[in-house]
Amino acid sequence: MSKTTPPAEDHLCAACAGIQRNWRKAPGHAELMQRGNRKEERGAVQVTVTRYVCEQCGTVWDYENNKQNQHAGWSVVGRV
């Protein structure tokens, strides 16, 4: 994926605006389409980061599944 810049909040669809960020196990929504995953090091722990794109508004999200960090989870990466 090309470089993206953090978007302004005004373009998020209602479903994306409702996603709780930075909280592990928070749900996404039905229009998020998975685009792949990768492993990343977080100190001594390896975590899985999955990329999603919203089909409605084009927002690109990463979901970090880190069992050692309750404040991992959803984060906005940019917009396609």
Side-chain angles (χ1 to χ4, degrees):
M1 181 173 277
S2 64
K3 244 184 179 181
T4 57
T5 56
E9 297 293 315
D10 59 345
H11 88 277
L12 296 176
C13 65
C16 280
I19 292 176
Q20 183 178 6
R21 297 181 200 172
N22 304 312
W23 194 255
R24 197 169 144 287
K25 294 189 177 182
H29 67 79
E31 292 187 67
L32 291 175
M33 300 307 295
Q34 186 173 333
R35 298 292 183 213
N37 59 44
R38 64 190 183 278
K39 299 284 186 179
E40 292 187 4
E41 297 292 328
R42 297 286 188 265
V45 178
Q46 192 175 55
V47 301
T48 301
V49 179
T50 306
R51 171 103 0 132
Y52 293 86
V53 176
C54 177
E55 289 190 324
Q56 184 174 353
C57 67
T59 301
V60 179
W61 292 87
D62 275 352
Y63 181 80
E64 180 178 325
N65 188 10
N66 182 347
K67 295 177 183 176
Q68 304 298 318
N69 181 2
Q70 185 62 37
H71 297 285
W74 293 103
S75 59
V76 173
V77 176
R79 189 171 181 200
V80 290

